[in-house]
Amino acid sequence: MMRQGIGFLVILLCFPILWILYSFIHTEVLSAASFNSDLERSIQLSNPTITSPVVLLDNKGKLFSEDYIEWREPLSLEEIPLFAQELFLQSEDEEFYQHIGFNFTAIFRAVFANASAQQMEQGGSTITQQLVRLRYLSTEKTYERKLTELLYAHEMEKQTSKEDIFTNYLNEIYFSNQVYGIGAASTFYFGRSIDQLSEAELAFISAIPNNPTIYNPLTNFEATKNRQELLIDVLVKNGRLTVERANEIKQAPIKLVTKTKKQLYPAYSTFVLHELESLIAHKEGFKDKIANAQNEQQRQFIEHELKTRVDEVISNGITVHTALDPLKQEDDERYINSLLSKKSNLQAASVVINNDTREIVSIYGGKDYKKLDFHRAYQAIRQPGSAFKPLLVYAPLFETTTYTPNSSINAGKLCIGSYCPQNYGGAVYDYVTIQEAFRLSHNTPAVRLLDTVGIENAFARISPFQFENIEEKDHTYSAALGGLTKGVTVLEMADAYTSFINGTYKPARAIQKVADKEGTVLYAWEDDFQEVWSYKTAQTMRGLLAQVVTNGTGKGISVNSSYVGAKTGTTNEYYDYWLAGLTDTYTSAVWIGYDLPKNMKSIESNKIHHRIFNRIMDKKN
């Protein structure tokens, strides 16, 4: 009787508490009802933005480089083995197909279990709640966040089917090491698609999401294995597996075959990503907007918009088809690296362009180049020296005057105002033929000939080319000798020299096309050939370039080709050595020097740039 009285008293004392709890819940329900329409708009079960790999293919369609921030391979529910589905249902949410987004029974069970253990051992979150957390909410443990999670989960269940929720959950849960979704986990950890995994392997990767840090198999393999066995025991407990079969699965060996990014030819892949930005800028109008920006602030804003757009395109997953010749790239890199290894801190850059397609087949960005390092082929802006003469002086001369290679020109002393250029070594000559002036790279004749052509006319003739750093203040007589305010890049020089193939020009590109994951072409260059030199001028220039090789400053150049033509260049204080030219197959430019310029007179006789040119222009490679 006394026990009943005490029980009745306890009940009476609980009424105020229950009333307070009811009032609080009622207030929250009314509040929830008030933003129900907003909630419906907030919960949209469209697939989230998925960052997919950007894949680079060579000229034979083989993958040579890939980049990804997150590794994902979404699957349909039908593609996910039933055994894997059961592992998650039985361990995470047994009553998934019965509840309305949340499960009060599971919540109370977890509360009492955790209270008894005086620590958090069980969770009460359903699969729907976990998906809500992944998509919409933070992981902070507060009452407000938990209540919002319940409301969101219920709304999600109203809007879509259980199958869709479960599918999205399995595709979005985190499997450590930037791997999202069970399909991606399969290929990342075992190198095989999910339908090829054993039950032991399926259970192993299914162990990871419970705590991706603790169960990261790359750092805590044993912990992951223990969790795998725990999941198998859950299936036994719930009647989904026999003890005998469970033991067989537990004893099956687990051998990880972890996926690694394929990152071959970093100098080429780095340039491709740079060109991709240029391609998008060209196709989507950013290039013109930047060129027409009213001020520096506006230009920077547009450039930021461009980078955001490029990131968006890449994150959607693209395949970039390129002109890379992998065998040639590998051989060029190996040879140039071996040459430079003997010279401390000496650097080099080169670009090789296919004459027929005007595509970049090989590019060298610097000694032992690592991806995204400073790229000397397109980022290093250096003075071109006499290698610039064919473009600015001689080709415009033959294009606009009646001069021929046999015409005479004064090679003596010259001063125009305060500008007094000298020939190499301070030598003074009498009248020489243009052919000789070109072959031996005399300076004073080049300046006189630029004066004959006219500075503005000469610069107009090279305007079709991709020289991005030539400015109005470069329009001086010193430009005849490659004396520019900033300079040019190796890529720009090789690109411009392709005009001597036959007088036509099309910008040199590495990218052939860019496609999305379904193979639809998103971007492609649509450059047309244009005539920049007459055929007669091109043939004249080819003859002069060939004489440089046979009996001029290019002696020592030897390439297995019926035609070889080139022009050397040396800048003041021997800071830069250049060689640009062409064969029947390729056009290229080579530069050697130091990142912090210093005199290289002591290695001039080694003719390292000649040796590089010989190797990279050999068709056999």
Side-chain angles (χ1 to χ4, degrees):
M1 191 71 176
M2 179 177 289
R3 183 178 299 173
Q4 287 181 339
I6 293 172
F8 183 72
L9 181 61
V10 169
I11 292 173
L12 286 176
L13 291 173
C14 284
F15 269 122
I17 299 172
L18 292 172
W19 177 254
I20 293 170
L21 182 62
Y22 168 78
S23 300
F24 187 79
I25 293 173
H26 182 66
T27 301
E28 291 295 330
V29 170
L30 291 177
S31 177
S34 70
F35 66 81
N36 187 62
S37 59
D38 291 336
L39 186 61
E40 290 179 1
R41 289 195 297 271
S42 299
I43 301 294
Q44 298 294 329
L45 204 62
S46 57
N47 290 327
T49 300
I50 292 177
T51 303
S52 298
V54 51
V55 174
L56 308 187
L57 306 181
D58 64 24
N59 61 0
K60 295 294 190 294
K62 293 184 178 180
L63 187 152
F64 71 90
S65 183
E66 59 184 337
D67 275 294
Y68 50 85
I69 299 173
E70 300 171 355
W71 183 250
R72 295 179 185 258
E73 287 186 8
L75 301 173
S76 66
L77 194 59
E78 291 74 21
E79 293 174 298
I80 300 172
L82 290 175
F83 183 78
Q85 295 183 38
E86 283 294 328
L87 284 166
F88 282 96
L89 288 172
Q90 298 302 318
S91 63
E92 297 294 329
D93 192 356
E94 289 182 66
E95 299 174 24
F96 172 71
Y97 285 100
Q98 285 76 49
H99 62 62
I100 59 172
F102 51 84
N103 187 337
F104 273 126
T105 302
I107 293 172
F108 285 123
R109 185 166 58 241
V111 168
F112 285 114
N114 294 334
S116 300
Q118 294 187 332
Q119 59 182 344
M120 293 297 291
E121 291 188 341
Q122 291 189 23
S125 294
T126 64
I127 282 174
T128 312
Q129 287 173 259
Q130 292 181 50
L131 180 59
V132 162
R133 258 198 318 273
L134 286 169
R135 288 196 171 185
Y136 308 110
L137 305 176
S138 69
T139 57
E140 61 176 342
K141 296 180 180 180
T142 64
Y143 168 76
E144 289 80 9
R145 200 275 301 160
K146 194 67 177 179
L147 180 61
T148 304
E149 179 185 298
L150 297 179
L151 295 172
Y152 270 51
H154 183 52
E155 185 62 35
M156 182 178 282
E157 294 264 356
K158 286 162 56 181
Q159 290 192 26
T160 191
S161 67
K162 290 282 188 179
E163 287 73 18
D164 284 345
I165 293 172
F166 194 31
T167 303
N168 281 279
Y169 170 78
L170 292 174
N171 281 323
E172 294 177 35
I173 47 177
Y174 184 48
F175 284 81
S176 194
N177 296 297
Q178 299 306 117
V179 178
Y180 290 82
I182 195 168
S186 172
T187 56
F188 184 86
Y189 290 111
F190 292 109
R192 306 194 306 279
S193 59
I194 196 168
D195 61 314
Q196 297 177 316
L197 298 194
S198 66
E199 289 181 334
E201 291 167 334
L202 288 170
F204 187 82
I205 59 175
S206 297
I208 301 170
N210 182 262
N211 191 319
T213 300
I214 294 176
Y215 303 122
N216 176 359
L218 302 188
T219 57
N220 299 311
F221 184 90
E222 288 304 318
T224 314
K225 184 70 175 71
N226 292 336
R227 172 73 184 171
Q228 174 225 37
E229 296 183 3
L230 178 63
L231 293 181
I232 295 169
D233 288 340
V234 170
L235 294 186
V236 173
K237 177 183 175 183
N238 292 347
R240 297 303 198 271
L241 274 182
T242 64
V243 173
E244 294 74 21
R245 179 58 187 148
N247 289 332
E248 290 175 4
I249 296 173
K250 289 179 183 179
Q251 292 169 15
I254 298 294
K255 184 178 180 180
L256 298 178
V257 183
T258 310
K259 177 179 178 58
T260 56
K261 292 181 183 179
K262 198 162 189 178
Q263 298 271 287
L264 301 177
Y265 320 121
Y268 199 95
S269 62
T270 296
F271 174 71
V272 168
L273 296 177
H274 164 75
E275 187 180 304
L276 175 64
E277 181 174 313
S278 298
L279 176 56
I280 294 173
H282 177 78
K283 288 294 184 179
E284 299 194 3
F286 289 100
K287 183 178 179 180
D288 291 337
K289 289 179 181 178
I290 292 171
N292 296 321
Q294 299 299 308
N295 50 55
E296 179 65 15
Q297 184 178 5
Q298 188 180 54
R299 184 186 65 79
Q300 290 180 359
F301 178 78
I302 298 169
E303 287 178 344
H304 177 72
E305 283 189 318
L306 169 60
K307 291 188 180 299
T308 301
R309 174 57 180 153
V310 172
D311 291 342
E312 179 185 1
V313 171
I314 289 176
S315 69
N316 289 330
I318 55 174
T319 298
V320 183
H321 299 256
T322 78
L324 170 70
D325 181 336
L327 295 179
K328 179 165 184 52
Q329 178 76 28
E330 185 173 351
D331 187 82
D332 292 353
E333 286 183 1
R334 186 188 306 113
Y335 180 75
I336 302 174
N337 281 337
S338 68
L339 280 182
L340 298 181
S341 66
K342 303 168 186 176
K343 302 290 183 182
S344 177
N345 297 324
L346 182 65
Q347 281 291 353
S350 68
V351 172
V352 182
I353 300 168
N354 181 291
N355 287 353
D356 293 332
T357 62
R358 310 293 170 93
E359 293 175 327
I360 300 169
V361 296
S362 170
I363 191 165
Y364 185 84
K367 180 165 54 180
D368 299 324
Y369 186 86
K370 301 295 188 297
K371 190 160 188 178
L372 302 180
D373 279 354
F374 178 68
H375 202 300
R376 293 161 188 84
Y378 77 91
Q379 290 180 313
I381 304 167
R382 307 292 288 235
Q383 300 293 317
S386 294
F388 204 53
K389 292 174 182 176
L391 298 165
L392 188 68
V393 178
Y394 288 96
L397 177 76
F398 298 126
E399 190 73 17
T400 60
T401 72
T402 58
Y403 279 75
T404 70
N406 293 321
S407 299
S408 294
I409 184 68
N410 186 352
K413 291 183 178 181
L414 171 68
C415 280
I416 302 177
S418 61
Y419 179 61
C420 300
Q422 292 185 334
N423 295 318
Y424 182 80
V428 178
Y429 306 97
D430 199 354
Y431 277 81
V432 298
T433 63
I434 289 178
Q435 174 180 291
E436 183 177 349
F438 188 95
R439 177 171 57 85
L440 299 176
S441 201
H442 295 331
N443 289 333
T444 57
V447 176
R448 287 186 168 98
L449 292 173
L450 177 59
D451 188 40
T452 299
V453 174
I455 291 176
E456 297 307 319
N457 186 21
F459 273 96
R461 289 289 170 174
I462 66 170
S463 61
F465 306 134
Q466 299 187 85
F467 294 116
E468 294 186 356
N469 296 286
I470 290 181
E471 305 172 352
E472 188 71 28
K473 55 186 175 182
D474 287 319
H475 294 199
T476 64
Y477 287 107
S478 63
L481 311 181
L484 304 170
T485 305
K486 294 179 180 176
V488 298
T489 68
V490 174
L491 172 61
E492 291 169 349
M493 288 293 284
D495 172 69
Y497 263 69
T498 62
S499 65
F500 297 138
I501 296 170
N502 56 16
T504 64
Y505 170 72
K506 185 172 80 167
R509 310 293 191 190
I511 296 175
Q512 296 173 333
K513 63 180 178 180
V514 179
D516 62 17
K517 289 182 290 188
E518 285 71 42
T520 303
V521 175
L522 302 175
Y523 306 99
W525 292 110
E526 296 175 356
D527 304 306
D528 292 323
F529 283 93
Q530 60 176 310
E531 183 180 290
V532 293
W533 315 120
S534 67
Y535 182 75
K536 180 181 178 181
T537 295
Q539 290 302 109
T540 300
M541 292 303 301
R542 288 172 66 87
L544 292 175
L545 291 166
Q547 289 179 29
V548 171
V549 173
T550 58
N551 195 30
T553 57
K555 287 184 69 174
I557 293 174
S558 178
V559 182
N560 183 28
S561 175
S562 61
Y563 171 80
V564 184
K567 184 70 184 74
T568 59
T570 304
T571 60
N572 291 341
E573 304 298 329
Y574 303 93
Y575 283 168
D576 306 271
Y577 289 142
W578 286 84
L579 190 51
L582 59 158
T583 65
D584 289 330
T585 308
Y586 301 125
T587 299
S588 79
V590 176
W591 166 88
I592 66 170
Y594 291 91
D595 290 335
L596 293 175
K598 70 177 184 178
N599 192 296
M600 295 188 294
K601 176 67 174 174
S602 62
I603 65 171
E604 182 180 27
S605 61
N606 294 345
K607 294 189 174 181
I608 295 173
H609 49 316
H610 289 58
R611 293 157 68 183
I612 293 173
F613 185 87
N614 288 343
R615 184 60 169 251
I616 68 176
M617 294 295 271
D618 194 333
K619 188 178 179 181
K620 290 186 298 184
N621 294 324

